[in-house]
Amino acid sequence: MAGRNIMLVLAALCCPMAALAQAPLAFQCPLQGVSVEYDTGTRSVFGGPDPTDSAICLVRTGTNDRRMLYAFWTLPLSHNDAERSARAGLAQLYPATVGKASSFELFLPRAGGGDDPYRETWRVLRFEPVTVRAGTLNAMVIERVQEGQGTNTFKGTWTRWIDVNSRVVIKQTFELGRGRMPANQQWEATALRVPPPAQPAPRPRG
């Protein structure tokens, strides 16, 4: 028995499990001052949550200021009901646990003008350490499957790794199922800077 226990310990040391145990993770925007650079050449600096809506994150990419719903969709969305559908659907993922999923429908802009209907299915796949050029970070892995409805035949699957500490997306991959390949869908972070936590003010003497 003692020998078996030693072997189990050695196995755990040399070959740690990839998946991480993680308590349910509430949604949080990247904190103010966090910045990330990607291998696409873009750089984003986050401004924390909107003061009036914690589901909307403030971000500046280059010289463009954006308001992003759940740090994903740039607002405003084109169709009147799209923001309501996306907000309600993504809210169901949180607090995030492995296997939690949400499906919803919405209209998104068509390249030639107008809107197309889609069904979105989002799922929390796992928590794991991931190595990108910015470093090795503990991440929540979310899968997004988007499938066109009616005459819209598009189907694509995005996988995103979100740094648990900073809440920044540090990697994305894409797999095309049907339709035309969208541009710039695969990337990873090359640099991630998280400002140190603010120090408490010193107590007055006396």
Side-chain angles (χ1 to χ4, degrees):
M1 179 64 71
R4 181 174 180 271
N5 289 340
I6 291 173
M7 292 299 292
L8 290 173
V9 170
L10 290 175
L13 290 174
C14 74
C15 307
M17 294 179 64
L20 296 172
Q22 173 69 48
L25 196 68
F27 175 75
Q28 178 183 309
C29 288
L31 296 178
Q32 184 173 4
V34 170
S35 66
V36 61
E37 297 174 19
Y38 296 106
D39 57 7
T40 56
T42 59
R43 178 177 184 268
S44 294
V45 180
F46 292 88
D50 186 295
T52 64
D53 190 337
S54 61
I56 295 177
C57 306
L58 306 178
V59 58
R60 168 169 284 192
T61 301
T63 58
N64 297 322
D65 290 323
R66 296 183 292 162
R67 301 171 69 249
M68 300 186 71
L69 182 65
Y70 283 95
F72 179 78
W73 265 304
T74 299
L75 298 177
L77 294 176
S78 62
H79 196 274
N80 291 339
D81 295 329
E83 182 178 337
R84 286 193 292 271
S85 297
R87 180 186 289 269
L90 294 181
Q92 294 180 27
L93 283 182
Y94 296 95
T97 55
V98 174
K100 203 166 189 180
S102 175
S103 292
F104 52 96
E105 294 185 357
L106 77 172
F107 287 82
L108 294 174
R110 185 187 310 127
D115 296 314
D116 277 329
Y118 292 90
R119 170 164 284 278
E120 299 264 347
T121 302
W122 295 59
R123 185 182 307 275
V124 181
L125 296 182
R126 58 191 177 275
F127 291 84
E128 67 179 12
V130 62
T131 299
V132 294
R133 289 166 61 185
T136 299
L137 303 162
N138 292 333
M140 173 174 66
V141 186
I142 290 183
E143 177 187 75
R144 173 199 179 197
V145 178
Q146 184 187 76
E147 189 165 9
Q149 304 295 291
T151 58
N152 177 11
T153 60
F154 176 84
K155 184 178 182 180
T157 300
W158 290 260
T159 305
R160 284 188 156 201
W161 285 256
I162 301 172
D163 174 34
V164 170
N165 178 42
S166 67
R167 307 301 176 89
V168 171
V169 180
I170 52 175
K171 181 180 178 180
Q172 177 174 285
T173 62
F174 176 77
E175 181 179 348
L176 181 66
R178 296 189 302 268
R180 181 177 297 180
M181 178 75 170
N184 301 325
Q185 297 301 305
Q186 302 204 140
W187 37 260
E188 67 176 55
T190 58
L192 176 64
R193 296 176 179 85
V194 181
Q199 298 297 318
R203 294 181 179 179
R205 295 181 179 180

